[in-house]
Amino acid sequence: MEKSAIRSATEQLSQLLLIKPEPEDQRINNDGEDAATTAINIVIPVQPFISLCNSLIHVLDKIGPTMAVLRQEIRQNIERLEMAEEWGDLVEILKKEGREGRARTESSCSRAFLWLIRSLDFTLALLEKITSNEAGMNMERAVEESYNRTLKAWHGWISSAAYKIALKLVPDTPTFINIIMEDHQNYHTLLHDIHTLIPLLSTFLEQAHSILSK
C-alpha cells in the first residue's frame, strides 16, 4: 500500500532527527580552530531532506492552483540542492559556502535551503491551523493566515499579488479534507497522521533555523 504524503514526511523527519554528527565534529577542525565553538552540531543529509520537500509538494498540490507559485519555488530550490547531492551533508555545504562568501548568492545551496525552510514553516503553520480548529475551519482563511505569518514578509509584490489572486481558488473545507485524504484514510486517521507529523516538523525546523542563524 502506497504511503500518503503526510506519512512519508513523518518517516523522513524521523530519520533526519535520528542522525547525529560524527564524534570528530567536536575536535579541532582543519583550520586549527576549536570546532566546539565554530561547528554546527547537526547533520542534514541532502537526499532525505529533498525527499521531505517532495512530500511537501504533494501536500501543497492538494490545495490546488493557489500554491502554484510556492510549488514552483520549492521545485527550483530542490533542483539546486540535487546538483550538490554528492556532498552528502547539507550543513557542510552551508558552512563551505559561508567560508567562501557565496551563501547569499542567487544560485547558492544556502539560499535554496533558506527558502525551502520557509516553505516548511508555511506548511507547519497550515497544519496547525487545520488541527486546531477542525470543525469551524475556513480553508481560505487558514491558508491566508499561514501565508501572512510565514512567507508574506519575504515575497516581493509580484509573488504576493499572484498569491492574493490564487487565494480565491482555495477549495472549501469539506472538499479539501476529501482531497487530502488518501484512499486508505478516513478523517480520524488523517488528523492522527497530522498530529504525529507536527511535533517532528516543529523540532526539525527549530534545528534548521538554528543552522541558518549561524
Side-chain angles (χ1 to χ4, degrees):
M1 183 181 296
E2 186 178 351
K3 296 184 183 70
S4 69
I6 290 175
R7 289 182 180 178
S8 294
T10 298
E11 286 193 6
Q12 289 143 7
L13 281 165
S14 299
Q15 294 173 8
L16 286 167
L17 292 171
L18 282 173
I19 298 170
K20 304 297 181 184
E22 294 296 327
E24 63 251 26
D25 286 352
Q26 300 299 321
R27 302 172 189 170
I28 303 301
N29 65 21
N30 292 333
D31 297 324
E33 299 174 294
D34 183 356
T37 62
T38 61
I40 300 167
N41 198 24
I42 301 170
V43 173
I44 302 179
V46 176
Q47 187 51 55
F49 180 70
I50 288 174
S51 296
L52 171 64
C53 294
N54 280 322
S55 293
L56 161 65
I57 287 178
H58 291 309
V59 173
L60 295 180
D61 279 344
K62 307 291 186 180
I63 303 175
T66 305
M67 293 294 102
V69 175
L70 182 56
R71 188 190 191 285
Q72 183 178 4
E73 288 178 356
I74 294 170
R75 185 65 254 168
Q76 289 172 345
N77 289 315
I78 287 174
E79 289 172 357
R80 201 173 302 161
L81 293 187
E82 286 174 339
M83 295 167 59
E85 277 189 81
E86 69 273 8
W87 276 83
D89 180 15
L90 253 175
V91 178
E92 289 303 315
I93 298 173
L94 303 186
K95 287 158 63 177
K96 182 177 186 293
E97 290 184 342
R99 288 193 301 268
E100 296 173 352
R102 297 190 295 111
R104 295 179 181 272
T105 61
E106 190 73 27
S107 61
S108 70
C109 290
S110 299
R111 190 177 181 89
F113 180 70
L114 170 64
W115 276 102
L116 288 169
I117 292 303
R118 287 172 177 169
S119 299
L120 288 170
D121 284 335
F122 167 79
T123 305
L124 175 62
L126 181 59
L127 292 176
E128 288 174 338
K129 289 281 184 186
I130 291 172
T131 56
S132 65
N133 189 26
E134 304 100 345
M137 179 185 62
N138 177 288
M139 269 307 298
E140 181 178 336
R141 182 177 176 184
V143 172
E144 182 175 20
E145 289 181 356
S146 300
Y147 177 82
N148 290 343
R149 177 177 149 193
T150 58
L151 288 171
K152 185 176 181 179
W154 311 109
H155 273 169
W157 71 268
I158 295 177
S159 294
S160 294
Y163 160 80
K164 190 171 183 180
I165 294 171
L167 186 63
K168 302 303 179 183
L169 301 174
V170 172
D172 59 32
T173 302
T175 301
F176 174 76
I177 294 298
N178 286 331
I179 291 172
I180 201 172
M181 282 192 300
E182 306 292 334
D183 291 340
H184 60 282
Q185 286 183 312
N186 59 44
Y187 181 66
H188 296 293
T189 58
L190 171 65
L191 288 181
H192 177 269
D193 289 348
I194 294 175
H195 278 294
T196 302
L197 175 63
I198 284 174
L200 294 172
L201 183 54
S202 179
T203 299
F204 175 76
L205 287 172
E206 285 178 12
Q207 293 184 358
H209 284 293
S210 174
I211 293 169
L212 289 167
S213 69
K214 297 176 182 178

